[in-house]
Amino acid sequence: SEAWNREGVLCRGPRVGNFGGRRRRRADRAQAEDFGGQQERFHPPERRRLQDAFGGKESGIEPRSKARGRGSHAAVFSTRLMQSATNLLHSGMGLSPLSISPASSSLSPEPNVEGLAPYIKDVLTSLGSDYEVQLRRKDAELARVTKALEEKERAIAKMMQSKADAEMEAAESEALAKLESARAEREAAEIKARGKVSEALAKFEKIRAKALDAKEDVKDLKRDASLAFADFEVELSNMSLQVVSCLADLGREHHSEVSKANAKREAAESKIKVLQDEILELKGNIRVYCRVRPPTGDDSAMKVSPSGIVTVEDGSSSEFSFEKVLQGDNEEVYDEIQPFTDKLQEGFNCTVFAYGQTGSGKSHTMWGGSKNEPGINTRIIQDIFKAIGEDKRGEFSLSLSVLEIYREDIKDLLVEGKTKLKTIKACGDIPGLTELAVSSYEEVLDLLQYAASRRTTRATAMNEHSSRSHSVVTVKLTRRGVSSKLQLVDLAGSERVKRSEVTGEQLKELASINKSLSALGDCIAALSVKAKHVPFRNSRLTQLLSDSMSNKAKVLMICCAAPEPENVKESKNTLRWAQRSAACELGMARRNSLSESQLQENKSGKGATKAAPTKSQVSRRPLSAARVN
């Protein structure tokens, strides 16, 4: 089937309509009977034009009355069209119109088809011309519509342009208004600023005028002040001369009075000191001096006052009072103890021992650090030889012995080999101990250096050269009818396992050191309360010092303290122990006078000791042959 679309174009496609069953077949059969199965549908405008051309409804075409649907209408319209065209042709040819019934399948009378060709051609030509006219109309209508659209677009563009121009003019006017306003504000600010500047200039001129006036006034004042100052200097010089003369007179009077007062004070202090020393000597107290070595770093937990008070800071202050507190070098320390050791030449036994924790400077105090800084041991012996050299009357004998107490074993340091001595007599003498006769300070110095090289030392976490034994240097002197004995004791340092970090053999050494120091503390505690029994036999150290700790000797303790904050606990224990020792009364020391028989023995040489070997002999180990009992 063929159909016209809405734009007037003939389209070919499926048949229009949805017929089914008998109704569809009936319509197809009627259409086939009327037009031989051919049909043609026209666009509605063309149909109206053909109806007008061929007479329309007056053409006499009778449609099937019972036709239904769109197919039936198409068939009726085709029949009417063909009838109108046939009648038109017949009228042109002079023939009578035909009456065609849709139900009839034959035409009567039958026209001449060949004679109809020119008419059909004219009809088609007229139809084509009409169609062209219609197309031209449509083109004209399209051109008019296009022109109208273009005019409308131009009008819209013009309207938009005018609107944009108006907005732009409004924006420009607004910007001009703001600019004018800003310009006016700026002009007002400039006028205001000019006013302020003018006011400031006026003030500046006034201040300048005042400054010039003040400058003139200052010049006048300076002139007047210089004149007044010159007069004042003259008066001051006169007054100074008077004051100087008065002060000179007063100074001379005051100086004489001060000198008298100082002399009285010094005499009183010396008398007080002498009395105190006499009291201490009568009581036989252990003299205690405290030595605080310099700190190894910048921090120090100890403060020392000139009055002999040591303050330890560890969160809370602890004060300890001593007879003397020393902070200088070995020379200063010896100057303080020299009067004490002078008693040796008067026939009194003397004992000096250094006590303190490890690393506090005990060995440095007793043995010295170098040749330029000798210790107490060598300084005392040097003074003994100096006093002997100055005394040209009488004879003398001097002997030296050096030992160490290592783990309760007594070791002779002047003899090579492992010589152990176990027996100690009640008087403190040790059978088998080497005593060498010396005649010069150089001999003693060589022997002390040799003994120091053989002393037992170890490295610990607290001290790189820690002494692991107690050393005892004994000097026996006989001269001018008296005999005396000097013991110089360097005690091993007390320490804790936690800090020293020792193990194995060193741990056993530490236990032995602490045990002997504890025994020494027990003896001092018993002597302080004047107990009937003093446990001297609890250790080798106390047995050896029993003769000195009785009323036969003068005892001086040098308490060595380390001032570093990490050593506070050990230092406080040392200072407490030293304070308790200072309260210990040993009784008045006795002078050791020789009897007539002893003097005769010394003159005959029976009581003299053998001579000490020379320096070259010491280096070749001859000391084993120089032993005397």
Side-chain angles (χ1 to χ4, degrees), residues 218-291:
V218 168
K219 287 182 180 179
D220 296 337
L221 288 173
K222 281 184 178 180
R223 192 181 306 111
D224 298 339
S226 61
L227 295 174
F229 187 72
D231 297 337
F232 176 74
E233 282 184 343
V234 173
E235 293 179 2
L236 184 62
S237 61
N238 296 330
M239 293 177 65
S240 297
L241 293 174
Q242 295 176 4
V243 170
V244 168
S245 62
C246 292
L247 289 176
D249 297 338
L250 293 174
R252 284 191 292 270
E253 296 176 0
H254 180 71
H255 182 68
S256 61
E257 293 179 358
V258 170
S259 300
K260 293 177 181 178
N262 287 335
K264 291 181 181 180
R265 181 178 59 82
E266 290 176 359
E269 288 180 352
S270 61
K271 189 174 182 180
I272 290 172
K273 186 174 181 181
V274 170
L275 292 174
Q276 288 178 348
D277 291 342
E278 289 179 357
I279 291 172
L280 291 176
E281 288 184 4
L282 291 173
K283 289 183 177 180
N285 288 50
I286 297 177
R287 311 287 290 272
V288 179
Y289 294 171
C290 178
R291 184 182 188 185

Side-chain angles (χ1 to χ4, degrees), residues 77-93:
F77 175 75
S78 300
T79 303
R80 288 179 178 177
L81 181 60
M82 293 299 295
Q83 187 177 0
S84 298
T86 304
N87 289 336
L88 182 60
L89 292 175
H90 275 252
S91 63
M93 295 171 61

Side-chain angles (χ1 to χ4, degrees), residues 34 37 241 298 373 385 463 488 543 576 595 610:
D34 292 339
L241 293 174
D298 298 332
E373 192 177 6
F385 278 105
N463 189 1
L488 303 172
Q543 287 182 24
R576 289 194 193 97
S595 62
K610 291 186 179 181

Side-chain angles (χ1 to χ4, degrees), residues 383-404:
D383 279 357
I384 292 173
F385 278 105
K386 184 178 179 181
I388 291 172
E390 293 175 355
D391 185 10
K392 298 181 180 179
R393 299 177 302 164
E395 296 179 353
F396 77 95
S397 65
L398 188 68
S399 65
L400 176 72
S401 63
V402 186
L403 62 88
E404 71 172 356

Side-chain angles (χ1 to χ4, degrees), residues 152-166:
K152 195 170 287 188
E153 287 178 356
R154 283 195 294 273
I156 291 171
K158 187 176 181 181
M159 184 178 64
M160 294 296 290
Q161 184 66 30
S162 61
K163 186 176 180 181
D165 294 340

Side-chain angles (χ1 to χ4, degrees), residues 438-508:
V438 291
S439 58
S440 67
Y441 169 71
E442 289 74 15
E443 293 178 2
V444 176
L445 186 62
D446 291 338
L447 292 173
L448 290 179
Q449 290 177 353
Y450 177 75
S453 65
R454 301 189 65 240
R455 189 179 177 188
T456 305
T457 58
R458 299 278 191 276
T460 65
M462 297 181 66
N463 189 1
E464 186 177 359
H465 303 285
S466 177
S467 301
R468 313 310 291 172
S469 63
H470 310 294
S471 70
V472 181
V473 177
T474 304
V475 178
K476 292 183 179 180
L477 174 64
T478 303
R479 62 184 293 243
R480 298 173 61 180
V482 293
S483 65
S484 57
K485 181 173 68 173
L486 171 66
Q487 285 185 318
L488 303 172
V489 185
D490 177 20
L491 298 176
S494 61
E495 58 187 57
R496 291 184 297 166
V497 179
K498 183 178 180 181
R499 293 200 60 196
S500 60
E501 300 177 3
V502 295
T503 57
E505 291 296 322
Q506 293 185 5
L507 184 60
K508 296 178 181 179

